[in-house]
Amino acid sequence: MDEVRNTVLIPCAIAALICIWKVVNTLWVTPRKLEKHLRNQGFIGNKYRFLYGDTKEMSMMFRQSRTKHINLDDEDGVLPYVTGFTHQSLQKHGKKFITWMGWKPRVTIMDPELIKDILGKLNDFKKPEIHPLGRLLATGIASYEGDKWVKHRKIINPAFHLEKLKDMAPAFQLSCKEMLVKWEMRCSSTGSCELDVWPHLQALTSDVISRTAFGSSYAEGIRIFELIKEQSVLAMEVFQSIYIPGSRFLPTKRNSRMKAIEKEVKLSIRNIIDMRIKAMKAGEANYDDLLGMMLESNMKVGNQHQNKSHGMTIDEVIEECKLFYFAGQETTSSLLVWTMILLSKHKEWQSRAREEVINVLGDKNMDIDGLNQLKVVNMIFYEVLRLYPPADGLLRKVDKDITLGGFLVPSGALIGLSIMLTHYDEEYWGSDAKKFNPSRFSEGISKATKNRVIYFPFGWGPRICIGQNFALLEAKIALAMILQRYSFELSPSYVHAPRTVLILQPGHGANLILHKL
């Protein structure tokens, strides 16, 4: 019996020791080795703290910022408020520092040449794995790597060609016109009214995505938007915490809610896709919206190779649709709301933009050729995206030891690219880096940046945001139509609280006073 017992116990004991060693190696031995390696190359930062690294301090500073607000005139207060921990680390350690995302070191890079290398070399610097619960919000082309990313980019690209975007301009105008009718009703009695424009701009961009992506109005897709908005808040909570393997299976309130939202959103989008495919087979399909163009492109790729594996599966199409819903709506609404807030403060630029719009377009409908002549509006958008980019940073990982700018980044390290810290850096932008000055872009982005990668609100390189032109055209049409009809200023009740909920947005809304022209 003892021999039988030993035959069972000894392998179990060995297996247990191996598991314990793997945990110790992952959570302690490897992080300490990586820390020593990075410090020997001149990187400084906080010492590694078991399991949590810097995440507790990051989360604490993030929560504290939620209870505060800053003065809009306090140009020095934006970075500490929005990127609290990263900005603190920069002030404390300089431009070459380490922070800890749990047990993984994150090396923050701010050198333009190194940023160019990191964003340009897809095979060396990859996107890190998304938190398993965070993937419930959306995956799609924004998170794929390698051949899968190449395949999806090829299929989706045709939907974002400039000629296709021109065909969508009437839908942009119709959505904006409906929003302005609501503003007209609010301001009809006195010609002026106070309005929180933030939810209106969110509804506008949601409506645009519904019309241009799925051929339906916002009213029909409102449930999907409500769910995705709730999911983004829950996902933000997830990204602020350490993921313990297997914890996503626990029946916690947040886990259960996120899974329920994902199930309902997928079912709704699948129904839209199923109806479209049925119409395609009956020869009654609409190929003018993003979904139609994507399904058409997907079908052509599959037929070209006589193999469905070269196209996207229905589940993959659903993920791309979820990404359209989230990224397409949030990015443009963020750009528009910060533009209106900053033009409310800097009225001389609001006047210059309105004068240009009226001189070029008059009070007529938006003309694409005319829109392309709005130089001042372009300058304003570029400057707003510099100061209030949709995302405050990007993250990459390395799976092998890589030499970067004379130092060796060890396998397993993360690389952080802080968009906001780089956009506000006086070394690159001059002493007025924190000030709103669209004139810096009077000769375009290349001249303003001296051809350095110091400006990347939509990313840079091969993985630059595929929807960048879509967002800018939509925002340009909306702003031009608003400027034709209204002047606007900050309400005394406006509270400046830029807050990241995956996308940078006004934490207490955007209360403005509108005046009919």
Side-chain angles (χ1 to χ4, degrees), residues 152-353:
H152 281 240
R153 185 90 181 194
K154 182 179 179 181
I155 292 171
I156 296 170
N157 253 337
F160 288 94
H161 285 166
L162 189 57
E163 290 305 313
K164 296 289 187 182
L165 295 181
K166 286 182 179 179
D167 293 338
M168 296 178 189
F172 295 165
Q173 294 179 57
L174 179 58
S175 295
C176 191
K177 185 176 181 181
E178 290 179 357
M179 178 187 75
L180 292 171
V181 167
K182 295 176 183 176
W183 290 11
E184 172 83 19
M185 293 171 65
R186 293 285 295 269
C187 299
S188 60
S189 58
T190 62
S192 297
C193 61
E194 180 171 337
L195 186 69
D196 180 1
V197 299
W198 174 230
H200 289 259
L201 295 173
Q202 286 180 301
L204 163 66
T205 54
S206 298
D207 191 52
V208 166
I209 287 294
S210 282
R211 291 184 196 277
T212 57
F214 307 105
S216 61
S217 70
Y218 173 61
E220 294 172 52
I222 191 168
R223 178 60 181 163
I224 295 176
F225 285 112
E226 289 173 346
L227 290 169
I228 286 180
K229 189 183 295 185
E230 183 183 353
Q231 192 82 302
S232 66
V233 173
L234 296 172
M236 191 68 194
E237 293 176 6
V238 161
F239 295 142
Q240 292 290 318
S241 61
I242 289 291
Y243 175 65
I244 306 300
S247 62
R248 70 181 186 275
F249 299 112
L250 297 175
T252 64
K253 183 178 179 180
R254 183 173 66 193
N255 287 3
S256 298
R257 182 57 187 153
M258 291 188 76
K259 290 173 184 176
I261 290 173
E262 196 244 1
K263 183 177 179 180
E264 186 174 345
V265 168
K266 285 185 73 171
L267 181 61
S268 296
I269 295 176
R270 181 178 285 275
N271 288 337
I272 294 172
I273 293 171
D274 287 345
M275 287 189 289
R276 184 63 61 86
I277 292 175
K278 185 177 178 180
M280 287 170 65
K281 290 178 179 178
E284 303 168 354
N286 170 24
Y287 294 103
D288 294 335
D289 55 31
L290 291 174
L291 176 60
M293 286 184 275
M294 185 164 62
L295 290 174
E296 182 184 33
S297 178
N298 191 38
M299 187 169 57
K300 285 180 179 177
V301 169
N303 292 339
Q304 182 182 349
H305 295 274
Q306 297 297 311
N307 188 337
K308 287 188 177 181
S309 67
H310 285 274
M312 293 188 289
T313 67
I314 292 299
D315 282 337
E316 288 173 342
V317 172
I318 289 172
E319 287 303 316
E320 297 298 350
C321 290
K322 286 166 63 180
L323 189 61
F324 283 156
Y325 263 116
F326 171 70
Q329 186 266 336
E330 293 285 352
T331 302
T332 313
S333 59
S334 173
L335 170 57
L336 279 170
V337 76
W338 292 120
T339 299
M340 291 195 72
I341 288 169
L342 288 171
L343 290 183
S344 293
K345 179 187 175 186
H346 301 277
K347 293 181 182 177
E348 71 281 9
W349 280 102
Q350 183 183 152
S351 297
R352 285 184 62 179

Side-chain angles (χ1 to χ4, degrees), residues 380-510:
I380 289 169
F381 279 149
Y382 294 154
E383 182 71 341
V384 172
L385 286 167
R386 186 183 72 85
L387 294 173
Y388 292 88
D392 63 10
L394 301 172
L395 200 60
R396 295 292 185 265
K397 67 170 183 174
V398 293
D399 294 328
K400 59 184 178 182
D401 293 352
I402 291 179
T403 300
L404 181 68
F407 59 88
L408 187 70
V409 180
S411 175
L414 299 171
I415 297 178
L417 305 176
S418 177
I419 296 173
M420 287 196 74
L421 292 186
T422 307
H423 283 190
Y424 278 70
D425 196 322
E426 293 185 0
E427 179 183 344
Y428 306 136
W429 296 96
S431 59
D432 68 341
K434 296 171 185 175
K435 297 183 182 297
F436 179 74
N437 178 20
S439 292
R440 72 177 83 245
F441 290 104
S442 60
E443 297 182 64
I445 293 173
S446 296
K447 191 79 171 180
T449 61
K450 299 176 182 176
N451 291 310
R452 298 169 297 177
V453 186
I454 57 174
Y455 180 78
F456 46 108
F458 291 102
W460 188 87
R463 294 201 72 136
I464 193 167
C465 176
I466 196 171
Q468 173 181 334
N469 291 331
F470 179 101
L472 288 172
L473 178 59
E474 178 189 351
K476 191 179 291 187
I477 288 173
L479 183 62
M481 291 179 70
I482 292 168
L483 289 170
Q484 286 173 333
R485 294 160 176 82
Y486 291 96
S487 65
F488 42 91
E489 59 184 312
L490 289 171
S491 164
S493 62
Y494 172 73
V495 177
H496 193 52
R499 180 175 297 169
T500 299
V501 183
L502 299 183
I503 297 293
L504 190 63
Q505 55 187 247
H508 296 291

